[in-house]
Amino acid sequence: AQSVSQHNHHVILSEAASLELGCNYSYGGTVNLFWYVQYPGQHLQLLLKYFSGDPLVKGIKGFEAEFIKSKFSFNLRKPSVQWSDTAEYFCAVKNQAGTALIFGKGTTLSVSS
Amino acid sequence: NAGVTQTPKFQVLKTGQSMTLQCAQDMNHNSMYWYRQDPGMGLRLIYYSASEGTTDKGEVPNGYNVSRLNKREFSLRLESAAPSQTSVYFCASSEYFAGGPYEQYFGPGTRLTVT
């Protein structure tokens, strides 16, 4: 079955540290990839998406992600995190049938000031 | 635009009771989805509706039914609630094109507790 793996369950960083959250997916065909963020008590919001073209995708709030087809990966990065980045982050991929998204289990990021 | 709205925000049910979660979107999206979110499990798809008039099962459909009432509204019904259905429920909508779903827009969620 298709799946999305997020390697880090909980990441703890200090402000200004760099961030990289891993995401690997199992589907080898044409992929649509997404990163969503859920701030405490809020609903999910789209950070960035990849459909085609430049594999380095820039999103909101200084986040970026790199699609590496050979590694089936779509890792999320930010050069310098802020306390306000404390949230849960979800990677998602379009399913093989093209009908819905499959989400990873999420990574909780805690940033201390 | 309100985006995706859900009612109620909170609900407590006793085992065996039934209820319907309501969802509406004003973005003229074709596709709508119901997810449940549980700690450490991420989001799991319950049901989805690719377009008005169609519904399909997702990863965890047992114990749920859905109705795509019209293009705007997609409801989720629990016929006989069980404690295992205690969760946060999110509705989402998206455009849909030949290559697959576009990004999904989420509602604020319904926190359901079944005692």
Side-chain angles (χ1 to χ4, degrees):
Chain A
Q2 225 178 328
S3 64
V4 176
S5 297
Q6 292 184 241
H7 315 298
N8 313 101
H9 178 63
H10 193 182
V11 173
I12 302 171
L13 295 173
S14 300
E15 273 195 324
S18 64
L19 170 71
E20 181 160 2
L21 301 183
C23 173
N24 286 90
Y25 58 93
S26 62
Y27 176 49
T30 303
V31 289
N32 296 348
L33 295 156
F34 308 83
W35 274 98
Y36 282 85
V37 61
Q38 185 178 29
Y39 297 105
Q42 297 189 26
H43 60 282
L44 277 80
Q45 303 169 43
L46 182 70
L47 267 180
L48 47 79
K49 61 182 184 282
Y50 172 80
F51 277 57
S52 63
D54 189 344
L56 185 61
V57 180
K58 293 194 185 301
I60 61 171
K61 304 188 180 187
F63 285 92
E64 64 179 32
E66 186 175 12
F67 169 56
I68 303 180
K69 188 174 181 179
S70 61
K71 295 185 178 181
F72 298 90
S73 70
F74 190 56
N75 292 354
L76 182 71
R77 299 195 292 248
K78 186 170 184 179
S80 176
V81 296
Q82 299 173 313
W83 176 81
S84 58
D85 293 324
T86 294
E88 191 159 15
Y89 293 81
F90 294 93
C91 181
V93 64
K94 178 195 70 175
N95 67 2
Q96 199 164 344
T99 53
L101 300 185
I102 298 172
F103 284 82
K105 293 186 177 181
T107 297
T108 301
L109 172 65
S110 299
V111 180
S112 58
S113 56
Chain B
N1 288 350
V4 180
T5 57
Q6 292 183 235
T7 55
K9 285 187 167 53
F10 302 94
Q11 183 71 49
V12 179
L13 292 178
K14 293 188 188 317
T15 298
Q17 288 185 315
S18 62
M19 78 161 295
T20 299
L21 281 64
Q22 306 287 354
C23 173
Q25 53 92 8
D26 62 2
M27 295 174 282
N28 202 35
H29 286 162
N30 287 318
S31 301
M32 298 185 74
Y33 312 82
W34 277 106
Y35 293 91
R36 59 177 290 172
Q37 183 182 29
D38 303 291
M41 301 294 290
L43 276 80
R44 292 181 291 170
L45 184 65
I46 305 171
Y47 271 93
Y48 66 96
S49 171
S51 60
E52 187 179 353
T54 68
T55 61
D56 285 286
K57 294 178 181 179
E59 181 185 355
V60 288
N62 291 346
Y64 305 95
N65 283 302
V66 290
S67 295
R68 183 74 183 267
L69 304 169
N70 47 54
K71 191 171 186 180
R72 290 187 64 249
E73 297 171 289
F74 188 39
S75 62
L76 178 73
R77 182 160 178 84
L78 287 71
E79 290 291 352
S80 178
S84 60
Q85 294 178 305
T86 293
S87 187
V88 181
Y89 292 84
F90 287 101
C91 178
S93 71
S94 72
E95 290 286 0
Y96 183 88
F97 62 103
Y102 213 59
E103 66 258 35
Q104 296 183 357
Y105 293 81
F106 285 81
T110 295
R111 188 173 295 275
L112 174 67
T113 302
V114 183
T115 60

XYZ file of all heavy atoms in Angstrom, chain A residues 23-112:
716
model
N 10.778 13.457 4.863
C 9.557 12.854 4.348
C 9.925 11.943 3.191
O 10.587 12.384 2.248
C 8.577 13.929 3.880
S 7.109 13.281 3.037
N 9.505 10.702 3.260
C 9.671 9.760 2.163
C 8.322 9.153 1.805
O 7.496 8.920 2.679
C 10.650 8.638 2.545
C 12.076 9.110 2.563
O 12.561 9.563 3.579
N 12.736 9.016 1.429
N 8.125 8.923 0.524
C 6.855 8.350 0.072
C 7.154 7.103 -0.733
O 8.267 6.907 -1.235
C 6.085 9.381 -0.764
C 6.864 9.849 -1.959
C 6.719 9.229 -3.198
C 7.775 10.896 -1.855
C 7.455 9.625 -4.285
C 8.516 11.299 -2.939
C 8.358 10.670 -4.153
O 9.097 11.063 -5.231
N 6.151 6.258 -0.878
C 6.393 4.959 -1.497
C 5.990 4.900 -2.964
O 6.385 3.983 -3.669
C 5.630 3.867 -0.741
O 4.236 4.119 -0.822
N 5.215 5.830 -3.432
C 4.683 5.750 -4.793
C 5.712 6.225 -5.787
O 6.302 7.281 -5.621
C 3.420 6.594 -4.892
C 2.820 6.675 -6.273
C 2.609 5.524 -7.035
C 2.427 7.896 -6.807
C 2.039 5.605 -8.294
C 1.861 7.975 -8.059
C 1.670 6.828 -8.804
O 1.098 6.907 -10.043
N 5.946 5.472 -6.865
C 6.989 5.787 -7.823
C 6.537 6.477 -9.085
O 7.350 6.786 -9.935
N 5.263 6.756 -9.215
C 4.764 7.395 -10.430
C 4.813 8.916 -10.329
O 5.580 9.470 -9.549
N 4.002 9.558 -11.093
C 3.907 11.023 -11.025
C 3.374 11.427 -9.664
O 2.365 10.909 -9.211
C 2.956 11.543 -12.119
O 3.425 11.109 -13.388
C 2.908 13.065 -12.079
N 4.078 12.337 -9.023
C 3.699 12.676 -7.652
C 3.291 14.138 -7.522
O 3.834 15.005 -8.191
C 4.838 12.389 -6.656
C 5.023 10.903 -6.481
C 6.133 13.049 -7.084
N 2.314 14.345 -6.687
C 1.988 15.676 -6.190
C 2.288 15.638 -4.708
O 1.782 14.757 -4.004
C 0.510 16.005 -6.398
C 0.132 16.069 -7.860
O 0.969 16.085 -8.748
N -1.159 16.092 -8.127
N 3.121 16.536 -4.231
C 3.607 16.488 -2.854
C 3.265 17.773 -2.124
O 3.287 18.851 -2.722
C 5.116 16.277 -2.836
C 5.578 14.928 -3.388
C 7.007 15.005 -3.870
C 5.427 13.849 -2.318
N 2.985 17.654 -0.842
C 2.544 18.795 -0.041
C 3.178 18.743 1.353
O 3.440 17.673 1.885
C 1.017 18.769 0.142
C 0.241 18.632 -1.138
C 0.029 17.394 -1.712
C -0.301 19.751 -1.752
C -0.698 17.263 -2.896
C -1.031 19.637 -2.926
C -1.221 18.383 -3.499
N 3.376 19.916 1.914
C 3.642 20.048 3.334
C 2.574 20.964 3.923
O 2.324 22.051 3.419
C 5.015 20.652 3.620
C 6.125 19.655 3.646
C 6.998 19.359 2.647
C 6.501 18.820 4.746
N 7.887 18.391 3.045
C 7.610 18.047 4.336
C 6.021 18.654 6.064
C 8.227 17.119 5.172
C 6.636 17.744 6.886
C 7.732 16.984 6.446
N 1.969 20.470 5.020
C 0.984 21.251 5.752
C 1.503 21.508 7.158
O 2.276 20.721 7.702
C -0.340 20.474 5.864
C -1.187 20.489 4.618
C -0.979 19.570 3.602
C -2.205 21.419 4.473
C -1.763 19.585 2.456
C -3.005 21.442 3.332
C -2.773 20.523 2.334
O -3.552 20.537 1.209
N 1.015 22.587 7.755
C 1.361 22.915 9.133
C 0.078 23.088 9.946
O -0.932 23.577 9.434
C 2.217 24.199 9.212
C 1.476 25.417 8.654
C 2.673 24.476 10.640
N 0.146 22.636 11.195
C -0.996 22.801 12.106
C -0.485 23.470 13.372
O 0.200 22.833 14.188
C -1.642 21.457 12.413
C -2.907 21.575 13.250
C -3.548 20.218 13.508
O -2.887 19.191 13.569
N -4.863 20.208 13.668
N -0.789 24.751 13.544
C -0.411 25.456 14.765
C -1.342 25.013 15.890
O -2.468 24.571 15.642
C -0.471 26.960 14.550
C 0.503 27.428 13.504
C 0.068 27.796 12.230
C 1.862 27.463 13.759
C 0.962 28.194 11.252
C 2.765 27.857 12.785
C 2.316 28.209 11.541
O 3.216 28.594 10.569
N -0.884 25.117 17.132
C -1.682 24.622 18.263
C -3.108 25.147 18.229
O -3.342 26.349 18.145
C -0.906 25.144 19.474
C 0.505 25.240 19.004
C 0.419 25.659 17.571
N -4.053 24.217 18.280
C -5.470 24.582 18.319
C -6.057 25.040 17.008
O -7.211 25.476 16.973
N -5.301 24.955 15.935
C -5.800 25.440 14.647
C -5.921 24.300 13.635
O -5.519 23.172 13.894
C -4.879 26.527 14.099
C -4.821 27.771 14.973
C -4.066 28.885 14.285
O -3.980 28.957 13.058
N -3.520 29.784 15.098
N -6.494 24.637 12.464
C -6.623 23.625 11.428
C -5.384 23.610 10.544
O -4.502 24.460 10.684
C -7.879 23.896 10.597
C -7.872 25.229 9.915
N -8.148 26.406 10.572
C -7.630 25.574 8.630
C -8.082 27.404 9.734
N -7.768 26.941 8.545
N -5.305 22.640 9.673
C -4.144 22.517 8.795
C -4.120 23.613 7.740
O -5.162 23.961 7.172
C -4.158 21.154 8.086
C -3.586 19.992 8.879
C -4.601 19.472 9.863
C -3.150 18.872 7.934
N -2.915 24.103 7.478
C -2.718 25.123 6.446
C -1.596 24.656 5.524
O -0.628 24.048 5.978
C -2.314 26.461 7.072
C -3.273 27.004 8.095
C -2.669 28.168 8.849
O -2.041 29.039 8.250
N -2.857 28.187 10.147
N -1.720 24.977 4.247
C -0.713 24.576 3.281
C 0.545 25.428 3.418
O 0.474 26.654 3.438
C -1.272 24.714 1.864
C -0.342 24.290 0.747
C -0.177 22.775 0.756
C -0.885 24.745 -0.605
N 1.697 24.773 3.533
C 2.984 25.471 3.558
C 3.550 25.611 2.157
O 4.032 26.668 1.764
C 3.994 24.687 4.391
C 4.150 25.004 5.866
C 5.223 24.085 6.446
C 4.472 26.457 6.119
N 3.546 24.509 1.423
C 4.066 24.511 0.061
C 3.639 23.238 -0.642
O 3.172 22.295 0.007
C 5.590 24.652 0.050
C 6.410 23.764 0.993
C 6.561 22.363 0.459
C 7.791 24.371 1.231
N 3.818 23.243 -1.966
C 3.429 22.085 -2.761
C 4.377 21.926 -3.943
O 4.994 22.888 -4.396
C 1.990 22.222 -3.267
C 1.748 23.421 -4.173
C 0.310 23.504 -4.577
C 0.057 24.651 -5.559
N -0.004 25.944 -4.886
N 4.477 20.689 -4.412
C 5.251 20.401 -5.615
C 4.388 19.589 -6.559
O 3.834 18.553 -6.181
C 6.526 19.611 -5.291
C 7.223 19.138 -6.540
C 8.041 20.005 -7.270
C 7.031 17.851 -7.025
C 8.656 19.594 -8.433
C 7.641 17.442 -8.200
C 8.449 18.309 -8.890
O 9.048 17.896 -10.056
N 4.310 20.070 -7.822
C 3.606 19.308 -8.841
C 4.553 18.924 -9.972
O 4.527 17.804 -10.471
C 2.432 20.132 -9.412
C 1.195 20.043 -8.569
C 1.220 20.403 -7.240
C 0.003 19.579 -9.100
C 0.081 20.315 -6.445
C -1.139 19.481 -8.314
C -1.096 19.848 -6.993
N 5.395 19.861 -10.399
C 6.342 19.603 -11.479
C 7.313 20.776 -11.538
O 7.164 21.768 -10.823
C 5.619 19.432 -12.814
O 4.953 20.641 -13.163
N 8.347 20.640 -12.375
C 9.267 21.755 -12.569
C 10.403 21.758 -11.568
O 10.901 20.699 -11.165
N 10.811 22.925 -11.156
C 11.941 23.104 -10.243
C 11.718 22.266 -8.992
O 10.720 22.447 -8.285
C 12.076 24.575 -9.874
C 13.358 24.879 -9.089
O 13.988 23.927 -8.565
O 13.711 26.063 -9.013
N 12.653 21.346 -8.688
C 12.452 20.485 -7.523
C 12.624 21.208 -6.189
O 12.285 20.652 -5.143
C 13.523 19.404 -7.696
C 14.566 20.038 -8.535
C 13.856 20.980 -9.455
N 13.134 22.408 -6.217
C 13.250 23.185 -4.981
C 12.057 24.135 -4.922
O 11.933 25.046 -5.742
C 14.563 23.956 -4.961
C 14.863 24.719 -3.666
C 14.949 23.747 -2.484
C 16.159 25.503 -3.798
N 11.226 23.897 -3.958
C 9.965 24.637 -3.867
C 10.010 25.571 -2.672
O 10.400 25.158 -1.577
C 8.791 23.654 -3.701
C 7.481 24.408 -3.609
C 8.759 22.667 -4.840
N 9.612 26.792 -2.875
C 9.568 27.755 -1.763
C 8.116 27.965 -1.349
O 7.210 28.052 -2.186
C 10.200 29.070 -2.183
C 11.698 28.935 -2.438
C 12.389 30.267 -2.528
C 13.860 30.103 -2.905
N 14.591 29.270 -1.924
N 7.917 28.018 -0.027
C 6.574 28.208 0.485
C 6.473 29.460 1.323
O 7.294 30.362 1.236
N 5.468 29.461 2.180
C 5.248 30.621 3.030
C 6.164 30.582 4.241
O 6.712 29.533 4.590
C 3.772 30.695 3.487
C 3.381 29.459 4.299
C 2.855 30.855 2.283
C 2.033 29.554 4.967
N 6.347 31.740 4.866
C 7.069 31.868 6.141
C 8.510 31.367 6.058
O 9.057 30.902 7.063
C 6.301 31.157 7.250
C 4.880 31.650 7.398
C 4.173 31.100 8.599
C 2.758 31.663 8.651
N 2.048 31.313 9.870
N 9.127 31.435 4.895
C 10.536 31.082 4.760
C 10.832 29.601 4.639
O 11.992 29.193 4.646
N 9.802 28.788 4.524
C 10.009 27.348 4.365
C 10.291 26.995 2.899
O 9.805 27.665 1.989
C 8.771 26.572 4.837
C 8.629 26.520 6.327
C 7.891 27.481 7.001
C 9.233 25.511 7.059
C 7.769 27.451 8.378
C 9.108 25.459 8.441
C 8.372 26.440 9.097
N 11.058 25.936 2.710
C 11.285 25.392 1.384
C 11.381 23.878 1.486
O 11.586 23.321 2.576
C 12.563 25.961 0.757
C 13.830 25.600 1.477
C 15.058 26.174 0.791
O 14.989 27.258 0.183
O 16.115 25.503 0.881
N 11.214 23.211 0.352
C 11.320 21.751 0.327
C 11.968 21.345 -0.978
O 11.804 22.008 -2.006
C 9.954 21.095 0.481
N 12.705 20.249 -0.927
C 13.376 19.744 -2.114
C 12.853 18.368 -2.469
O 12.875 17.453 -1.639
C 14.889 19.690 -1.913
C 15.625 19.298 -3.193
C 17.131 19.347 -3.052
O 17.617 19.467 -1.910
O 17.806 19.271 -4.089
N 12.387 18.236 -3.699
C 11.923 16.955 -4.224
C 13.114 16.242 -4.841
O 13.744 16.748 -5.772
C 10.828 17.204 -5.264
C 10.455 15.997 -6.072
C 10.040 14.831 -5.452
C 10.492 16.025 -7.461
C 9.672 13.722 -6.198
C 10.120 14.922 -8.209
C 9.724 13.766 -7.578
N 13.442 15.058 -4.311
C 14.513 14.244 -4.877
C 13.879 12.939 -5.329
O 13.611 12.044 -4.513
C 15.652 13.998 -3.869
C 16.218 15.326 -3.376
C 16.758 13.167 -4.533
C 17.345 15.191 -2.365
N 13.673 12.837 -6.633
C 12.931 11.704 -7.176
C 13.635 10.380 -6.891
O 13.004 9.383 -6.547
C 12.729 11.891 -8.679
C 11.805 10.882 -9.320
C 11.554 11.222 -10.766
C 10.601 10.216 -11.397
N 10.319 10.547 -12.824
N 14.968 10.368 -7.030
C 15.720 9.126 -6.867
C 15.659 8.602 -5.436
O 15.857 7.411 -5.191
C 17.174 9.333 -7.273
O 17.770 10.323 -6.447
N 15.389 9.491 -4.498
C 15.320 9.092 -3.087
C 13.879 9.032 -2.588
O 13.662 8.760 -1.398
C 16.116 10.069 -2.223
C 17.617 10.065 -2.495
C 18.357 10.972 -1.523
C 19.846 10.925 -1.777
N 20.590 11.789 -0.827
N 12.912 9.292 -3.446
C 11.502 9.331 -3.042
C 11.336 10.239 -1.818
O 10.630 9.904 -0.867
C 10.978 7.925 -2.723
C 11.020 6.993 -3.900
C 12.138 6.217 -4.148
C 9.939 6.894 -4.763
C 12.183 5.367 -5.244
C 9.975 6.050 -5.862
C 11.105 5.283 -6.100
N 12.002 11.378 -1.844
C 11.972 12.234 -0.661
C 11.494 13.641 -0.989
O 11.603 14.119 -2.128
C 13.353 12.306 -0.012
O 14.245 13.045 -0.826
N 10.969 14.287 0.024
C 10.472 15.664 -0.089
C 10.666 16.310 1.277
O 9.738 16.516 2.037
C 9.003 15.648 -0.513
C 8.439 16.999 -0.885
C 9.031 17.776 -1.868
C 7.281 17.476 -0.289
C 8.509 19.011 -2.226
C 6.743 18.704 -0.635
C 7.359 19.478 -1.610
N 11.902 16.626 1.592
C 12.247 17.136 2.917
C 11.965 18.627 3.036
O 12.222 19.401 2.113
C 13.707 16.858 3.229
C 13.993 15.370 3.399
O 13.080 14.536 3.394
N 15.265 15.040 3.539
N 11.500 19.007 4.191
C 11.161 20.402 4.486
C 12.328 21.061 5.209
O 12.912 20.455 6.116
C 9.915 20.454 5.370
C 9.398 21.845 5.747
C 8.786 22.534 4.534
C 8.377 21.729 6.870
N 12.640 22.305 4.836
C 13.776 23.001 5.452
C 13.408 24.444 5.782
O 12.548 25.050 5.133
C 14.988 22.996 4.519
C 15.501 21.611 4.165
C 16.882 21.685 3.563
N 16.870 22.320 2.253
C 17.134 21.692 1.121
N 17.349 20.392 1.135
N 17.162 22.344 -0.014
N 14.106 24.951 6.789
C 14.048 26.385 7.093
C 15.391 26.761 7.706
O 15.841 26.099 8.641
C 12.895 26.711 8.045
C 12.720 28.213 8.261
C 11.454 28.548 9.008
C 11.298 30.059 9.104
N 10.054 30.462 9.802
N 16.035 27.804 7.213
C 17.391 28.127 7.670
C 17.451 28.562 9.136
O 18.427 28.283 9.823
C 17.820 29.283 6.762
C 16.863 29.279 5.636
C 15.595 28.670 6.116
N 16.403 29.239 9.598
C 16.443 29.799 10.953
C 15.022 29.802 11.520
O 14.173 30.587 11.096
C 16.999 31.230 10.905
O 16.960 31.835 12.182
N 14.760 28.916 12.472
C 13.400 28.801 13.000
C 13.126 29.865 14.057
O 14.035 30.384 14.705
C 13.129 27.404 13.595
C 13.203 26.352 12.503
C 14.081 27.097 14.745
N 11.832 30.152 14.195
C 11.373 31.102 15.212
C 10.447 30.375 16.188
O 9.901 29.308 15.864
C 10.607 32.239 14.533
C 11.439 33.018 13.541
C 10.597 34.009 12.770
O 9.522 33.673 12.281
N 11.085 35.235 12.660
N 10.247 30.981 17.340
C 9.367 30.394 18.341
C 7.973 30.139 17.742
O 7.326 29.135 18.030
C 9.277 31.325 19.550
C 8.332 30.853 20.598
C 8.564 29.921 21.561
C 6.972 31.287 20.773
N 7.436 29.740 22.333
C 6.457 30.570 21.873
C 6.162 32.211 20.113
C 5.155 30.750 22.327
C 4.869 32.401 20.566
C 4.380 31.666 21.660
N 7.556 31.033 16.859
C 6.222 30.925 16.254
C 6.101 29.755 15.269
O 5.005 29.468 14.781
C 5.856 32.228 15.539
O 6.828 32.529 14.551
N 7.209 29.080 14.972
C 7.150 27.901 14.103
C 6.763 26.645 14.875
O 6.612 25.571 14.274
C 8.500 27.667 13.418
C 8.835 28.766 12.421
O 7.902 29.263 11.755
O 10.022 29.124 12.324
N 6.628 26.757 16.175
C 6.172 25.627 16.982
C 4.820 25.157 16.468
O 3.846 25.919 16.440
C 6.064 26.030 18.461
O 7.361 26.319 18.955
C 5.428 24.923 19.291
N 4.754 23.905 16.020
C 3.554 23.390 15.363
C 3.777 21.929 15.015
O 4.842 21.364 15.260
C 3.265 24.180 14.082
N 2.750 21.329 14.435
C 2.886 19.987 13.898
C 2.922 20.096 12.374
O 2.136 20.849 11.780
C 1.736 19.087 14.353
C 1.969 17.621 14.053
C 1.141 16.686 14.909
O 0.176 17.137 15.549
O 1.470 15.475 14.938
N 3.813 19.335 11.759
C 4.035 19.420 10.325
C 3.716 18.068 9.685
O 4.167 17.025 10.156
C 5.491 19.810 10.040
C 5.796 21.216 10.481
C 6.076 21.490 11.818
C 5.767 22.274 9.578
C 6.325 22.782 12.243
C 6.025 23.575 9.987
C 6.293 23.821 11.321
O 6.535 25.110 11.737
N 2.939 18.135 8.609
C 2.507 16.932 7.922
C 2.948 16.960 6.467
O 2.733 17.948 5.765
C 0.978 16.798 7.949
C 0.401 16.592 9.318
C -0.026 17.669 10.079
C 0.288 15.313 9.839
C -0.561 17.474 11.348
C -0.254 15.112 11.106
C -0.669 16.193 11.860
N 3.519 15.856 6.026
C 3.839 15.649 4.626
C 2.698 14.848 3.999
O 2.108 13.983 4.668
C 5.148 14.875 4.520
S 5.717 14.548 2.860
N 2.365 15.132 2.743
C 1.269 14.409 2.092
C 1.601 14.194 0.620
O 2.326 14.989 0.011
C -0.047 15.175 2.226
N 1.068 13.128 0.059
C 1.273 12.801 -1.345
C -0.046 12.383 -1.960
O -0.886 11.762 -1.296
C 2.327 11.683 -1.498
C 1.854 10.386 -0.872
C 2.691 11.457 -2.963
N -0.232 12.737 -3.211
C -1.425 12.278 -3.919
C -1.395 10.763 -3.997
O -0.341 10.182 -4.251
C -1.435 12.879 -5.326
C -2.598 12.449 -6.189
C -2.342 12.769 -7.648
C -1.266 11.889 -8.238
N -1.081 12.103 -9.692
N -2.558 10.116 -3.818
C -2.557 8.664 -3.897
C -2.483 8.195 -5.344
O -2.657 8.956 -6.288
C -3.765 8.062 -3.157
C -5.091 8.381 -3.830
O -5.136 9.027 -4.880
N -6.170 7.932 -3.234
N -2.213 6.919 -5.503
C -1.961 6.367 -6.836
C -3.184 6.477 -7.731
O -3.063 6.655 -8.938
C -1.541 4.907 -6.695
C -0.833 4.335 -7.903
C -0.107 3.045 -7.558
O 0.115 2.720 -6.402
N 0.283 2.293 -8.566
N -4.363 6.370 -7.119
C -5.599 6.473 -7.895
C -5.890 7.912 -8.303
O -6.755 8.156 -9.142
C -6.768 5.920 -7.079
N -5.174 8.855 -7.698
C -5.396 10.255 -8.041
C -6.666 10.836 -7.466
O -7.199 11.808 -7.989
N -7.156 10.255 -6.364
C -8.438 10.683 -5.829
C -8.332 11.407 -4.500
O -9.271 12.088 -4.096
C -9.357 9.470 -5.628
O -8.664 8.485 -4.848
C -9.752 8.866 -6.967
N -7.248 11.247 -3.793
C -7.142 11.832 -2.450
C -5.664 11.975 -2.089
O -4.784 11.616 -2.869
C -7.860 10.948 -1.428
N -5.419 12.525 -0.910
C -4.055 12.654 -0.404
C -3.826 11.646 0.711
O -4.739 11.321 1.471
C -3.812 14.060 0.140
C -3.962 15.228 -0.827
C -3.567 16.524 -0.147
C -3.160 15.005 -2.091
N -2.585 11.171 0.807
C -2.170 10.330 1.925
C -1.226 11.151 2.784
O -0.259 11.733 2.278
C -1.448 9.070 1.415
C -2.403 8.234 0.555
C -0.926 8.246 2.589
C -1.721 7.080 -0.136
N -1.530 11.211 4.077
C -0.743 12.012 5.001
C 0.203 11.143 5.802
O -0.107 9.999 6.163
C -1.659 12.769 5.960
C -2.328 13.960 5.335
C -3.466 13.809 4.563
C -1.820 15.235 5.518
C -4.082 14.906 3.973
C -2.435 16.339 4.939
C -3.558 16.180 4.167
N 1.365 11.713 6.124
C 2.242 11.093 7.097
C 1.693 11.302 8.498
O 0.700 11.990 8.698
N 2.374 10.706 9.485
C 1.874 10.757 10.852
C 2.209 12.068 11.549
O 1.741 12.313 12.657
C 2.414 9.577 11.651
C 1.870 8.256 11.151
C 2.285 7.092 12.019
C 1.634 5.821 11.484
N 1.968 4.642 12.304
N 3.006 12.896 10.911
C 3.280 14.210 11.462
C 4.555 14.276 12.285
O 5.004 13.277 12.857
N 5.143 15.467 12.322
C 6.299 15.755 13.170
C 5.978 16.969 14.004
O 5.584 18.011 13.461
C 7.551 16.046 12.338
O 7.903 14.897 11.572
C 8.718 16.449 13.238
N 6.118 16.827 15.307
C 5.896 17.959 16.201
C 7.198 18.720 16.357
O 8.226 18.133 16.714
C 5.422 17.476 17.583
O 4.205 16.744 17.423
C 5.175 18.665 18.502
N 7.175 20.000 16.059
C 8.337 20.864 16.223
C 8.111 21.778 17.414
O 7.109 22.489 17.473
C 8.565 21.713 14.972
C 9.637 22.794 15.082
C 11.007 22.150 15.294
C 9.651 23.684 13.842
N 9.029 21.735 18.339
C 8.987 22.647 19.488
C 10.205 23.554 19.409
O 11.340 23.060 19.363
C 9.003 21.869 20.802
O 7.884 21.015 20.897
N 9.993 24.864 19.398
C 11.077 25.834 19.321
C 11.104 26.633 20.613
O 10.097 27.233 21.010
C 10.898 26.787 18.124
C 12.052 27.786 18.066
C 10.809 26.002 16.822
N 12.243 26.618 21.262
C 12.373 27.372 22.508
C 13.047 28.703 22.228
O 13.961 28.799 21.418
C 13.172 26.571 23.529
O 14.450 26.263 23.013
